[in-house]
Amino acid sequence: MPHKPPTQEELERRKIVGINLETVTNVTATDFPGNYPGEDHSWDIEKFRQGFNVEIHQNDPYEASFSLIGCDASIANAFRRIMIADVPTLAIDQVFIYNNKSVIQDEVLASRLGLIPFTGGREGLRDFLKWRPKDGEPKDYDTVGLELNVKCEHNPDAGPNETDPTKLYKHAHVYAKDIVFHPQGRQVEYFSGENAIRPVNPDILIAKLRPGQEIDVKMHMIKGVGSNHAKFSPVATASYRILPVIQITQPILGRDAEKFAKCFPAGVIGLEKVTKAEAKQKGSGYEGHEGEPKAVVVAPERDTVSRECLRHAEFKDKVKLGRKRDHFIFLVESTGQIESEAIFLESVQHLKAKAKNLEKQLVNMVR
């Protein structure tokens, strides 16, 4: 008997991870050679191109959300790990403390300074600045110099009854904006004016001082990657989740529809009135319910898959929950040095470079 090729509906069903009241089913991918007799599931680049898609949901400088559709979890996770650990940024690496009379210990102060995200001209950060050798002398093309020199003093203009330290004293609070950038050599060409090296957020609090206390430090910034230290990571968060799937298999009407909507985060389930045509359609389940509210799925991507609806008897056999195995919703939050969209694009270049390097190693191994 000849094998019948699977329908598109069957192929889509195989991609859904079943979310039940107490179990999760169909968690293992099945689209590989030999799993289904008579079906060819060998990987093909043209087939992958046809099924792969990228959808942009949000594209702000500090936050981006997008979907990768039609790829394996290993690929999605590779992008996530590269964005966190392999995309290079600039951060304070060496702190030379000449005077620190604050209550913060030297090593803690150095750590706080290292975690402050900085930004600057994109061309200079990406193209001009190079990797600094471990034991090499600082050069203008691999090291950026910064200085923090702040001394707390009494404010002679403060009122006699003033109790606010920020008004009683000058420089009672030391902020990231107090860090001064000193360009060296050709750095002036790339980091001047709007492109100058500066903190992403100038109001990051570094320390609190009182009269007689001061901080005098010099700092060197270099290029690094998150796999060496978290301060070099370009993202605050880079995560993904699998697209939730909500299927209403039987009509949910009236008060049940309102209760059903409350089982999900706001905006996931909407309420629509049963139309006259639906009420007349035999076997639809809407007969005689014209004008009543019915539950409809509006935005399944907002769902957190809490399974709350499965805990109520009135919804039994009326809804199926799942997750689409090949649809990944990414959220990328940039620390500010590199725009969130550019972080993902750079991760693509890094993955391509890694693949080419692996190809060379395999060729050499065969030889």
Side-chain angles (χ1 to χ4, degrees):
M1 183 178 179
H3 175 77
K4 292 184 179 180
T7 62
Q8 187 61 35
E9 183 180 354
E10 169 63 16
L11 292 174
E12 289 298 322
R13 185 196 65 78
R14 293 175 183 177
K15 297 178 182 178
I16 304 300
V17 177
I19 307 295
N20 307 311
L21 180 60
E22 296 180 350
T23 60
V24 179
T25 58
N26 197 30
V27 296
T28 306
T30 57
D31 52 347
F32 54 87
N35 189 71
Y36 294 100
E39 297 182 20
D40 181 17
H41 289 280
S42 56
W43 194 83
D44 180 74
I45 190 169
E46 289 301 325
K47 185 177 178 182
F48 174 78
R49 284 174 177 169
Q50 293 174 6
F52 182 72
N53 190 25
V54 179
E55 293 182 359
I56 307 297
H57 309 304
Q58 179 185 357
N59 187 14
D60 297 326
Y62 292 165
E63 185 171 301
S65 178
F66 56 90
S67 289
L68 293 186
I69 306 170
C71 67
D72 189 76
S74 59
I75 302 299
N77 197 48
F79 285 129
R80 182 190 68 86
R81 292 176 65 103
I82 290 172
M83 285 188 281
I84 292 173
D86 288 345
V87 176
T89 64
L90 201 67
I92 294 173
D93 187 65
Q94 293 176 314
V95 179
F96 305 94
I97 300 177
Y98 296 93
N99 197 355
N100 176 24
K101 292 184 178 180
S102 71
V103 297
I104 300 178
Q105 299 92 333
D106 291 355
E107 61 272 22
V108 177
L109 176 63
S111 177
R112 290 174 70 89
L113 292 170
L115 292 171
I116 296 174
F118 284 79
T119 187
R122 185 73 183 116
E123 183 182 356
L125 293 173
R126 183 186 62 233
D127 302 327
F128 173 68
L129 290 176
K130 311 301 180 185
W131 297 93
R132 177 175 166 181
K134 288 185 178 180
D135 301 323
E137 290 294 322
K139 303 290 192 305
D140 65 340
Y141 55 79
D142 62 22
T143 305
V144 173
L146 303 172
E147 184 178 354
L148 176 62
N149 192 346
V150 179
K151 185 176 182 179
C152 183
E153 299 173 334
H154 286 278
N155 182 10
D157 299 326
N161 298 321
E162 186 61 67
T163 58
D164 186 352
T166 60
K167 298 178 180 179
L168 274 174
Y169 317 119
K170 294 181 179 180
H171 297 298
H173 293 175
V174 182
Y175 294 101
K177 60 187 175 185
D178 296 316
I179 298 176
V180 180
F181 164 56
H182 294 292
Q184 302 292 327
R186 293 185 60 199
Q187 291 178 4
V188 178
E189 302 175 21
Y190 296 92
F191 304 117
S192 59
E194 295 182 353
N195 292 328
I197 298 291
R198 63 196 183 278
V200 172
N201 185 347
D203 296 324
I204 295 176
L205 181 65
I206 298 174
K208 294 183 179 181
L209 302 181
R210 292 299 178 263
Q213 295 180 337
E214 64 178 300
I215 294 176
D216 183 10
V217 300
K218 288 182 171 56
M219 296 153 278
H220 285 174
M221 299 179 70
I222 65 171
K223 261 188 176 182
V225 291
S227 57
N228 290 335
H229 195 286
K231 66 186 178 184
F232 291 113
S233 181
V235 297
T237 299
S239 61
Y240 66 80
R241 57 194 181 91
I242 306 175
L243 176 69
V245 177
I246 305 170
Q247 294 179 323
I248 299 176
T249 57
Q250 297 181 30
I252 302 177
L253 304 166
R255 291 184 178 179
D256 284 351
E258 296 175 3
K259 181 178 179 180
F260 185 74
K262 293 179 181 179
C263 293
F264 298 85
V268 175
I269 302 298
L271 299 178
E272 295 180 358
K273 290 185 178 181
V274 177
T275 64
K276 186 175 182 180
E278 290 174 329
K280 288 183 177 181
Q281 186 178 354
K282 292 183 180 181
S284 66
Y286 296 119
E287 300 95 325
H289 296 282
E290 182 182 349
E292 289 188 27
K294 65 174 181 177
V296 294
V297 180
V298 177
E301 67 275 5
R302 298 184 183 180
D303 187 28
T304 56
V305 195
S306 66
R307 312 187 198 188
E308 176 63 27
C309 63
L310 300 179
R311 297 184 174 95
H312 301 277
E314 55 265 47
F315 305 134
K316 185 178 181 181
D317 300 327
K318 291 185 177 182
V319 59
K320 288 184 178 181
L321 301 182
R323 289 206 171 196
K324 198 168 183 179
R325 188 183 289 112
D326 65 345
H327 189 135
F328 303 91
I329 305 173
F330 274 79
L331 177 63
V332 180
E333 297 180 13
S334 170
T335 58
Q337 187 171 131
I338 308 175
E339 292 185 352
S340 51
E341 179 189 30
I343 294 173
F344 173 66
L345 295 178
E346 285 205 24
S347 72
V348 174
Q349 297 300 322
H350 277 267
L351 186 59
K352 289 174 66 176
K354 288 175 181 287
K356 289 182 179 179
N357 186 43
L358 178 60
E359 182 182 20
K360 289 181 181 178
Q361 294 180 10
L362 289 174
V363 171
N364 292 334
M365 186 187 304
V366 173
R367 288 177 180 173

